[in-house]
Amino acid sequence: MPGKDYTIQRRLTASYFTSVVSITLVLFLIGLAGILILNAKKLSDYVRENIGISVFLNDDAREVDIFSLQKTLDAKRYVKETRYITREKAAEEFQQELGEDFVEFLGYNPLPSSIDVKLLAPYANPDSFAVLEKEFRAYPLVADVAYQKDLVYAVNLNIRKISLSILIFSILLFLIAVTLINNTIRLTVYSKRFIIRTMQLVGAHHYLIRRPFLIKGVTQGVVAAFLAMVLLLAAIFIAEQQLEGLFSFQDFRILGIIFAVILVIGVLIAWFSTLLSVNKYLNMKTDNLYT
């Protein structure tokens, strides 16, 4: 009999381990999708706010008037930041891109001074750019206004497509996650259906029968949630190493939200699935237990 007890205990341990691993992987995928969703806006804002409008100034514009215009633009509610580029600085930057001293070749500097304007993300769309272009041209110091229209349109269009794709993927993933966790727990409870019936036969109340299963189910959810959090932290660390500082996912507010959601989902789904599964076998006829 000791050998039989050991075999049963080993099977129960294996069943518990398999259940926890399955739930962990599912919660990890949910967390990964959550990070993508919450960081998608952050990343899209980052991209939008790096598309600027170049406001080119008249050659005879005085520096004091230019600084006054820059302060006026900085005070606008839609402006994130501005950068004044002198003719000399513009020539220096263009020379670095070109790799040749074009000023020496031409004998003069043809580039005008300018103010680069970066907009806040909600205003970095084609309609706003078109309106602001007209507004900036109205200033007396402004000779011309330029921005990459095709780039603005393409960025906004692709961001909408990516956001919609991530949303659809996340909804499908959540539905799959609920199904997988529910099936995993149902299989675990199924393996103990005769124990449930035995407890019923000795007169145990349904509440007392459910309690150990619910406690174990919730424990599985909690353990799986914490394991999923560890996997997510490892994935974030690896991702940041690959990005080499280009973008950081270490936003503790976002991580806190993701971890809280993972824990809640793990506990709730495990508890609810366990409850449904146990109730099923509590109400099942004895003959049906063998099928």
Side-chain angles (χ1 to χ4, degrees):
M1 294 302 291
K4 184 177 181 181
D5 292 340
Y6 173 76
T7 301
I8 294 174
Q9 184 61 38
R10 187 176 62 180
R11 288 178 178 176
L12 290 175
T13 302
S15 174
Y16 181 83
F17 178 77
T18 302
S19 179
V20 169
V21 169
S22 300
I23 297 172
T24 297
L25 294 176
V26 170
L27 293 178
F28 169 71
L29 291 176
I30 291 177
L32 208 58
I35 288 177
L36 289 175
I37 291 172
L38 294 180
N39 279 285
K41 184 180 185 306
K42 186 177 178 182
L43 185 57
S44 68
D45 288 351
Y46 174 82
V47 172
R48 281 191 175 113
E49 290 177 352
N50 276 277
I51 304 174
I53 301 178
S54 295
V55 180
F56 297 106
L57 306 170
N58 294 323
D59 292 336
D60 59 351
R62 297 183 304 167
E63 207 162 65
V64 63
D65 295 328
I66 293 174
F67 288 140
S68 177
L69 175 60
Q70 186 178 12
K71 287 183 179 180
T72 300
L73 294 176
D74 280 329
K76 300 290 186 181
R77 69 182 185 281
Y78 47 77
V79 173
K80 180 187 177 185
E81 62 181 13
T82 61
R83 176 174 171 245
Y84 171 46
I85 304 175
T86 62
R87 299 182 64 187
E88 293 74 19
K89 183 65 176 177
E92 180 184 337
E93 292 179 356
F94 189 65
Q95 182 179 327
Q96 289 177 352
E97 293 179 8
L98 195 62
E100 297 180 6
D101 189 352
F102 70 95
V103 175
E104 183 178 349
F105 176 76
L106 295 175
Y108 71 100
N109 181 7
L111 300 178
S113 55
S114 64
I115 299 176
D116 275 357
V117 181
K118 299 288 180 65
L119 304 180
L120 293 172
Y123 299 94
N125 58 70
D127 293 337
S128 295
F129 271 91
V131 171
L132 294 177
E133 180 184 4
K134 295 179 181 179
E135 180 180 329
F136 291 162
R137 287 182 184 277
Y139 289 107
L141 296 181
V142 177
D144 196 11
V145 176
Y147 65 93
Q148 295 176 293
K149 295 181 180 180
D150 292 339
L151 178 61
V152 173
Y153 178 79
V155 165
N156 281 272
L157 180 62
N158 288 330
I159 285 175
R160 284 196 295 269
K161 287 181 178 179
I162 292 171
S163 299
L164 181 61
S165 299
I166 291 176
L167 179 61
I168 294 173
F169 169 76
S170 301
I171 293 173
L172 291 175
L173 181 61
F174 180 77
L175 294 176
I176 293 170
V178 172
T179 303
L180 286 176
I181 293 176
N182 182 57
N183 288 339
T184 300
I185 291 176
R186 284 180 62 186
L187 288 173
T188 303
V189 176
Y190 173 80
S191 66
K192 301 174 183 178
R193 64 194 185 282
F194 293 112
I195 297 176
I196 294 174
R197 180 47 50 93
T198 301
M199 295 175 71
Q200 278 185 299
L201 292 175
V202 298
H205 194 276
H206 285 188
Y207 168 75
L208 294 176
I209 297 174
R210 291 191 196 99
R211 187 170 64 180
F213 287 97
L214 292 175
I215 292 174
K216 190 171 184 179
V218 169
T219 303
Q220 286 180 331
V222 172
V223 172
F226 279 104
L227 290 176
M229 292 176 195
V230 173
L231 290 177
L232 276 175
L233 288 174
I236 289 171
F237 176 78
I238 294 172
E240 290 192 340
Q241 293 295 315
Q242 295 297 320
L243 290 173
E244 297 181 350
L246 179 63
F247 197 77
S248 176
F249 293 96
Q250 291 185 5
D251 188 322
F252 295 107
R253 182 180 63 86
I254 289 179
L255 287 179
I257 293 172
I258 294 296
F259 288 169
V261 169
I262 287 175
L263 183 59
V264 170
I265 289 177
V267 170
L268 286 181
I269 295 179
W271 180 85
F272 191 68
S273 298
T274 303
L275 180 64
L276 290 179
S277 299
V278 173
N279 284 342
K280 174 183 176 182
Y281 293 109
L282 284 175
N283 299 319
M284 185 176 287
K285 295 180 179 180
T286 303
D287 293 339
N288 295 333
L289 293 176
Y290 296 92
T291 58

